[in-house]
Amino acid sequence: MLTLVRIVDGAARAIRLIHHRLGTSAGRPMSIQHPQTCSHIEHSYKSGDPVTLDVEGQPVTARIGDTLAAALMSAGIAGLRETAGGERRGVFCGMGVCNECLVSVDGRQSQRACMIKVSGPHTVRRQAFQVLLPAQASGAAPILASDLAVRTPDLLVIGGGAGGLAAATVAAGAGLDVVLVDERAMPGGQFFKQPGAAHRFADAIAIDRQVAEGRARIERARRAGVEILSGADAWGAFAPMTVGVTTGAQSLLFRPSRLVVATGAYERGVPVPGWTLPGVMTTGAAQTLLKTDGVLPGRRVLVSGNGPLNLQVALELARAGADVAAVAELAPRPGIARAGALLGLTASALDVAWQGADMLLELYRRRIPVLYGQGLTRIEQADGSLVASLGERRFEIDAVLMGYGFLPSNELLRALGCRHDFDAARGHLVTWRTDDCETSVSGIHAVGDCCGLGGARAAADEGVIAGWAVARALGRPVDHKNLSAARARLVRHRRFQTALWQLFAAPRLHAERAEPDTIVCRCEEVTLGAVEAALSDGLPSIGEVKRRTRLGMGRCQGRYCAPVLAALLAERQGRPIDALAFFAPRVPARPVSISDLVRTGAPR
Amino acid sequence: MIGERRVPAEIGTVIVGGGIVGMCLAWFLAEEGHDVAVVDDGRHAGTIANAGGLHVQLQSRFMRLYPEMVPEFERTLPFYPRAVRHWQALASRLDEDIGLAVTGGLMVAESREQYEFLEKKCRREQQLGLEVEMLDRAALDRIAPYFADSIVGAELCATEGKVNPLLANQAIRRKALAAGVAHCTETRVTGLAQTSGGFAVETTRGPMRTGRIVIAAGAGAAELAAHLGLKVPARAEPLHMNITEATEPLIHHMVQHADRQITMKQLAAGMVVIGGGWPATLAGAAEHPTVELDSLIGSLSLAQHVIPRIGSLRLIRTWAGVNTSVDGRPVVGPVSGISGLFFAIPGDAGYTLGPLTARLVAHSILGRTPEMAIGEHTADRFNS
Ligand SMILES: Cc1cc2nc3c(=O)[nH]c(=O)nc-3n(C[C@H](O)[C@H](O)[C@H](O)COP(=O)(O)OP(=O)(O)OC[C@H]3O[C@@H](n4cnc5c(N)ncnc54)[C@H](O)[C@@H]3O)c2cc1C
Ligand SMILES: Cc1cc2nc3c(=O)[nH]c(=O)nc-3n(C[C@H](O)[C@H](O)[C@H](O)COP(=O)(O)OP(=O)(O)OC[C@H]3O[C@@H](n4cnc5c(N)ncnc54)[C@H](O)[C@@H]3O)c2cc1C
Ligand code: FES
């Protein structure tokens, strides 16, 4: 019965997808006629209502609450932002980090389609490299930072995922005055992401459970008294303890007594020829499109990379009706040797092995090959589709997913001077923390994936631990039972993660698959050849390579290319990969508009 | 491998500091057949962090703040138009485009009183030979139709402009290397002493002996001078910069304000660079140049106040860099009593002055008559 529901659901979606690709609107009524006149009646829309967008002059049917990226993608519009070199880019990260999905919405430029929820019959335009300016504007009177509104809660939490919500809930429950800021339209973070339009899930039951748990956690935080500011960007952090936040309506400065940073992680980028083509995206981006909007990244999909997320997403896509050509897994086929490595961790390892076996079995039943020890070597544009190569094997598909592991979003922590050490095994900087999740800077805690990937469960328990640490520091009683239960669970979660990654251990790719004309820095379109030329001219420092090539100077702040360059420098020059090898974190952590930054929110 | 590199043990000329002045000077000397090493620790160079504005006209804000200094300012004024001509000459000798554009600079006034001050300044500058003129609002709108309603007019200096430092620094470095300069990067000079035949130089990558030493070390000059018992009051002045996403061509001039701390220009690729001398800090033991919140908000707020249309642009990057501040004037040429020692520190707007400063010092080293009298601008003024 369950399977049947899934198949029917999947088939319906596949049909909808195909209709959209053919440019029809799958029979949806076009209820709204004139985009310009509608902003004032937005409130009359309900989540899930159909609405017609004007996309480059063409009508596109979407649903209120969908992300704009999903709406565009289901209409077959993959190419969005235009680069300086004239290329089109599409959704890549699906989570607000890469800035590749920029479009202009109702005249506002540089909106991230993946972060915007459809709220009316918007006018959507593709955006050139040089963004347009309004014909007229009136500036605001000059202000100083001291004119901005200052908030001084007991605790500020940055990030509303599993970790941030837990920390905020515990601290507020202990009687503290807590504000949580999150850049998304809804809290929940990556794992407990809340869908926009209801009832359009691929794997309705399983996902509903996850969504429902997230909703309950958000509800619990609200009930505990946490003030949640959604759509709020923490754009900069300044030592000792100031955080700049823009809400769109106001530019705020937070000077809390304590700070919990819970900004999560994003997916590593691996430059391969063709990885900048629209239709090539991270595995997480495809998962988000599917889970929150019920949209497939394409009909025929190739999944590649390293780690369990790829297997899981391949299955989720297949269940939703996608034709998954294969899963290319960099790690070698699990064998006796690695099973042996897991023996010491029996309980967790069994769990992993069991879940893994389950997924593999279903992939097998669905005839989706898992190709071990293989990675993407090239992606090319073909007539209306993509051709992806794994060495000699070629696949004609609509979308390529790349999931090569995660990198922590630790830029605010680094800007605040919190100590970080390079972890060679994980290939990234790891935040130094005490058992209470306090960083090297007293009063600043860090929880969850922003300290290194640990999973949603670990993030939540770290949040609980940090929440109680903050309560204790501010003189509130601690529920020791609750705290030690969290500590005990955390040990198990960490063991589980360790087992998982041992099972999927694979060589980490940096620029090995790139060719001289492959782009390494997506924002500034810097090729491997240009980087190599800079590297071979003297023994330049990382800053000097950056200045020579412009690598890392774009909107994403070097999040994808800096680790690649750090690895290249280490290899060529024997430089240690340490905190200094990554670029010094710079404000803004996210691109923010000048007007938003200087908006006092008060009448002048 | 970076750890194993050593400096040359013996070389004719050592230039300490590989900023715009040091690299130009190294190139000019190497072209004349000298063997030259540039030793640079690359830590605090203004050259790698600056905004690329080619400044000529006097800063009315400083004239109003420090009226007693105006004669000093006027003394160095002739350097600036000449410095821009040196940039133009230099650009024509480089193999790549460096984004040099002498499209003029506007200093805008927001009140009658500011406008009248600019008018007086303009007349004085005309007497001193600058190409400047006053524009009322209507005339301003004809060449720059984007200012806030509050702007009443501007002074236009035709010989101001901009250059892209990222491109220029590379192009100059390539020329210097091609001329045979040894460029010792990530190397710090830790000691300097006179010897019978010249100088002994201690560095973090080994000792050097040389017959001639040039201190082109910006803010590092004070410490280096002290090794030789000299006083040069060069200070590090960390400054803040902002850059936006790229936008359609709008701002063709370099833009400054008669009375407020703001400078704006647009790069050829479309990004708007916003600065104006807002302070930054040197953070921690490593003295890492670090952006300050107050400067970020203050400078961006002024930017959208003067040119409201850029308010919708996104800030994508900020940075802090180290400027060198002495007494507003260059410190150039030889020093009485220590033969073989030269200074090469530009005055205010030191990137503008870089190639000219290098040329003046090169001529002084080569025993030619510099094209401008530098006698009153040597380090002797601090060491009498
Ligand atoms: C793409 C992706 C897919 C994943 N898929 C799965 C899966 O299928 N199964 C599974 O078990 N685990 C999955 N994970 C892992 C799991 O989601 C995480 O372990 C978990 O969400 C960690 O919780 P967190 O609180 O640390 O961070 P997150 O849940 O990532 O929350 C961080 C929040 O902070 C916000 N934020 C970040 N920076 C700022 C800022 N400067 N200002 C304002 N807000 C900010 C983010 O937008 C986000 O909402 C996935 C992770 C990612 C990144
Ligand atoms: C943010 C900012 C914006 C600016 N904008 C402009 C502008 O628009 N227009 C303009 O004309 N000017 C501008 N300036 C000023 C300009 O950048 C500087 O005046 C100019 O670059 C100075 O060049 P320099 O070669 O004299 O010194 P620097 O570029 O400072 O170079 C000196 C070098 O010497 C090195 N050094 C010092 N001590 C030692 C030692 N002991 N051993 C080895 N090496 C040493 C330093 O690390 C550095 O690399 C700006 C400056 C800043 C910081
Ligand atoms: S896809 Fe929207 S920011 Fe990356």
Side-chain angles (χ1 to χ4, degrees):
Chain A
M1 184 58 207
L2 216 165
T3 326
L4 187 67
V5 171
R6 281 178 190 165
I7 288 172
V8 171
D9 187 45
R13 195 169 346 283
I15 290 164
R16 173 167 177 255
L17 190 86
I18 290 163
H19 273 295
H20 280 208
R21 283 186 175 258
L22 293 174
T24 64
S25 56
R28 260 179 233 289
M30 294 187 193
S31 51
I32 310 301
Q33 292 86 24
H34 203 276
Q36 274 84 342
T37 59
C38 287
S39 57
H40 59 285
I41 54 166
E42 265 173 33
H43 304 294
S44 60
Y45 291 113
K46 283 197 317 292
S47 173
D49 281 356
V51 50
T52 304
L53 311 179
D54 165 0
V55 181
E56 297 281 305
Q58 299 297 313
V60 165
T61 304
R63 303 185 346 159
I64 299 290
D66 277 351
T67 60
L68 185 55
L72 295 172
M73 195 159 290
S74 63
I77 301 168
L80 303 176
R81 157 181 111 83
E82 191 179 291
T83 66
E87 285 180 13
R88 286 252 175 247
R89 295 284 169 76
V91 167
F92 179 67
C93 71
M95 57 181 293
V97 173
C98 73
N99 282 270
E100 294 286 43
C101 63
L102 300 184
V103 285
S104 114
V105 181
D106 300 329
R108 296 189 57 194
Q109 304 271 306
S110 301
Q111 305 295 308
R112 291 171 295 180
C114 69
M115 298 293 276
I116 290 219
K117 300 254 189 220
V118 172
S119 62
H122 307 291
T123 303
V124 181
R125 293 288 176 266
R126 280 176 167 149
Q127 181 170 307
F129 175 69
Q130 296 188 337
V131 306
L132 301 177
L133 293 169
Q136 292 269 298
S138 53
I143 58 155
L144 296 171
S146 52
D147 294 315
L148 296 178
V150 176
R151 303 275 320 258
T152 55
D154 294 328
L155 172 64
L156 173 69
V157 178
I158 308 175
L165 282 170
T169 307
V170 165
L176 297 177
D177 163 24
V178 181
V179 180
L180 181 151
V181 298
D182 189 277
E183 65 187 326
R184 293 164 196 270
M186 296 272 275
Q190 278 298 326
F191 192 74
F192 294 121
K193 199 172 317 170
Q194 299 297 299
H199 310 304
R200 212 206 298 146
F201 308 123
D203 193 351
I205 291 173
I207 292 175
D208 262 351
R209 210 181 298 131
Q210 197 171 327
V211 168
E213 186 185 343
R215 199 179 307 128
R217 283 170 186 256
I218 297 164
E219 203 35 54
R220 226 177 300 147
R222 288 222 164 89
R223 270 207 312 277
V226 178
E227 181 188 347
I228 299 178
L229 296 183
S230 283
D233 282 315
W235 59 267
F238 301 85
M241 186 79 96
T242 300
V243 178
V245 173
T246 53
T247 65
Q250 202 176 12
S251 181
L252 294 169
L253 297 180
F254 278 90
R255 300 217 166 89
S257 305
R258 297 254 148 177
L259 178 65
V260 170
V261 178
T263 43
Y266 65 99
E267 282 161 288
R268 191 184 277 280
V270 173
V272 175
W275 74 305
T276 53
L277 290 169
V280 182
M281 68 187 76
T282 65
T283 302
Q287 186 188 39
T288 301
L289 285 168
L290 180 65
K291 282 190 175 180
T292 61
D293 302 292
V295 166
L296 295 175
R299 199 179 47 78
R300 216 173 130 70
V301 181
L302 178 75
V303 184
S304 69
N306 174 227
L309 182 65
N310 293 327
L311 298 177
Q312 183 190 322
V313 173
L315 273 181
E316 289 168 354
L317 291 171
R319 289 174 195 154
D323 175 1
V324 179
V327 181
E329 166 56 56
L330 265 188
R333 181 183 294 280
I336 305 298
R338 271 179 315 141
L342 295 178
L343 280 180
L345 306 160
T346 32
S348 310
L350 271 179
D351 238 17
V352 175
W354 183 243
Q355 289 185 12
D358 218 28
M359 287 200 285
L360 291 175
L361 191 67
E362 190 181 340
L363 286 167
Y364 177 77
R365 276 210 323 268
R366 290 177 177 274
R367 294 175 205 285
I368 299 172
V370 180
L371 308 170
Y372 290 99
Q374 299 232 32
L376 216 49
T377 47
R378 156 181 305 279
I379 308 156
E380 284 150 307
Q381 184 92 60
D383 209 16
S385 65
L386 298 170
V387 176
S389 308
L390 306 174
E392 298 296 294
R393 296 174 78 144
R394 289 160 67 84
F395 297 85
E396 198 179 321
I397 64 260
D398 302 316
V400 179
L401 313 190
M402 302 177 74
Y404 284 89
F406 297 87
L407 290 170
S409 294
N410 54 19
E411 55 285 338
L412 295 176
L413 290 166
R414 285 192 290 141
L416 287 164
C418 304
R419 178 177 150 193
H420 286 77
D421 301 300
F422 184 71
D423 180 331
R426 298 204 252 181
H428 59 66
L429 296 178
V430 171
T431 313
W432 183 93
R433 292 183 296 170
T434 66
D435 285 346
D436 280 342
C437 298
E438 189 164 2
T439 67
S440 64
V441 178
S442 155
I444 300 179
H445 295 255
V447 303
D449 283 1
C450 65
C451 311
L453 192 84
R457 305 286 161 205
D461 285 319
E462 289 182 5
V464 171
I465 293 166
W468 287 123
V470 170
R472 188 186 327 109
L474 298 181
R476 302 297 155 126
V478 173
D479 178 344
H480 288 282
K481 218 169 112 211
N482 181 286
L483 173 60
S484 32
R487 287 199 198 280
R489 284 194 305 269
L490 184 58
V491 172
R492 286 201 300 278
H493 300 319
R494 288 192 174 153
R495 212 180 286 150
F496 176 84
Q497 279 290 329
T498 311
L500 199 60
W501 286 106
Q502 261 173 294
L503 194 63
F504 281 91
R508 181 159 296 110
L509 289 183
H510 294 292
E512 294 80 355
R513 297 281 160 92
E515 292 174 5
D517 61 353
T518 305
I519 282 171
V520 174
C521 167
R522 301 176 64 105
C523 300
E524 294 291 326
E525 301 180 280
V526 182
T527 61
L528 179 66
V531 175
E532 293 282 11
L535 279 174
S536 62
D537 179 2
L539 290 168
S541 64
I542 196 161
E544 179 61 17
V545 175
K546 183 176 172 180
R547 288 188 293 274
R548 288 188 196 165
T549 60
R550 298 193 60 84
L551 176 140
M553 291 197 181
R555 285 190 174 92
C556 89
Q557 293 279 21
R559 282 185 172 80
Y560 297 97
C561 58
V564 174
L565 177 57
L568 281 172
L569 270 164
E571 181 192 309
R572 302 296 155 77
Q573 302 183 359
R575 284 180 197 264
I577 305 190
D578 54 17
L580 292 176
F582 291 85
F583 300 150
R586 292 239 164 95
V587 284
R590 304 261 181 290
V592 251
S593 87
I594 295 176
S595 306
D596 282 349
L597 278 171
V598 302
R599 205 181 302 281
T600 55
R604 271 187 260 288
Chain B
M1 293 279 141
I2 188 79
E4 298 152 11
R5 235 172 15 170
R6 310 297 288 174
V7 290
E10 184 121 30
I11 194 141
T13 301
V14 170
I15 299 176
V16 190
I20 184 67
V21 176
M23 289 310 278
C24 285
L25 177 60
W27 173 23
F28 299 161
L29 291 177
E31 272 184 322
E32 301 278 344
H34 289 254
D35 63 328
V36 184
V38 174
V39 183
D40 183 66
D41 71 358
R43 226 159 55 93
H44 277 169
T47 295
I48 60 174
N50 81 93
L54 298 181
H55 291 268
V56 174
Q57 60 180 308
L58 292 166
Q59 304 286 316
S60 71
R61 199 167 70 83
F62 291 131
M63 296 167 73
R64 290 154 73 103
L65 280 173
Y66 312 107
E68 71 285 359
M69 293 279 288
V70 171
E72 286 283 302
F73 298 150
E74 289 188 351
R75 258 206 300 176
T76 52
L77 190 60
F79 280 85
Y80 291 89
R82 197 177 282 265
V84 174
R85 286 200 292 279
H86 272 262
W87 266 109
Q88 289 170 309
L90 190 80
S92 68
R93 295 179 60 212
L94 296 171
D95 304 322
E96 299 114 276
D97 177 43
I98 58 169
L100 178 73
V102 180
T103 46
L106 292 166
M107 190 170 287
V108 298
E110 238 185 316
S111 66
R112 269 336 298 170
E113 191 264 327
Q114 287 169 13
Y115 190 80
E116 281 155 20
F117 190 89
L118 287 183
E119 278 181 320
K120 262 190 285 169
K121 175 170 97 79
C122 181
R123 275 195 299 277
R124 180 71 185 140
E125 286 168 337
Q126 283 167 341
Q127 284 166 7
L128 295 168
L130 293 199
E131 283 179 53
V132 284
E133 62 178 301
M134 291 304 294
L135 305 174
D136 62 15
R137 179 63 201 233
L140 179 61
D141 278 343
R142 277 194 288 280
I143 60 164
Y146 48 75
F147 285 107
D149 293 345
S150 58
I151 303 297
V152 300
E155 182 183 354
L156 170 67
C157 176
T159 51
E160 291 192 315
K162 59 197 169 188
V163 61
N164 184 332
L166 293 180
L167 300 176
N169 295 341
Q170 280 191 71
I172 292 165
R173 170 179 173 274
R174 269 196 273 273
K175 282 289 187 192
L177 294 188
V181 170
H183 190 195
C184 310
T185 55
E186 295 177 71
T187 309
R188 183 164 181 77
V189 172
T190 51
L192 272 182
Q194 269 185 284
T195 58
S196 51
F199 301 88
V201 184
E202 293 300 324
T203 83
T204 46
R205 295 184 196 277
M208 307 171 87
R209 308 189 72 76
T210 183
R212 187 185 297 121
I213 190 131
V214 185
I215 297 179
E223 191 184 314
L224 291 163
H227 290 310
L228 298 168
L230 294 172
K231 218 180 119 207
V232 173
R235 280 178 300 111
E237 182 187 40
L239 299 179
H240 178 102
M241 292 299 310
N242 311 285
I243 191 164
T244 69
E245 62 192 334
T247 186
E248 51 189 312
L250 178 77
I251 308 167
H252 300 286
H253 300 86
M254 176 164 70
V255 174
Q256 299 180 82
H257 195 288
D259 206 29
R260 293 187 191 266
Q261 221 178 322
I262 185 77
T263 306
M264 285 179 271
K265 62 190 76 72
Q266 188 172 14
L267 302 182
M271 301 82 157
V272 181
V273 179
I274 300 167
W278 289 78
T281 39
L282 295 179
E287 301 200 320
H288 185 62
T290 304
V291 159
E292 279 183 38
L293 174 67
D294 293 354
S295 292
L296 185 149
I297 297 292
S299 58
L300 293 175
S301 171
L302 272 180
Q304 58 86 48
H305 171 70
V306 174
I307 306 182
R309 286 174 68 197
I310 66 172
S312 63
L313 291 180
R314 283 170 189 259
L315 171 72
I316 60 170
R317 208 151 40 90
T318 61
W319 71 91
V322 176
N323 185 35
T324 301
S325 153
V326 189
D327 59 354
R329 285 161 51 194
V331 185
V332 286
V335 181
S336 305
I338 306 185
S339 117
L341 172 67
F342 294 81
F343 281 90
I345 307 169
D348 288 344
Y351 201 70
T352 306
L353 293 177
L356 170 66
T357 305
R359 185 58 79 189
L360 293 174
V361 176
H363 280 173
S364 152
I365 287 172
L366 296 167
R368 300 179 193 157
T369 312
E371 62 183 86
M372 305 183 71
I374 58 169
E376 60 171 336
H377 300 301
T378 68
D380 287 351
R381 68 181 183 273
F382 309 113
N383 296 285
S384 52

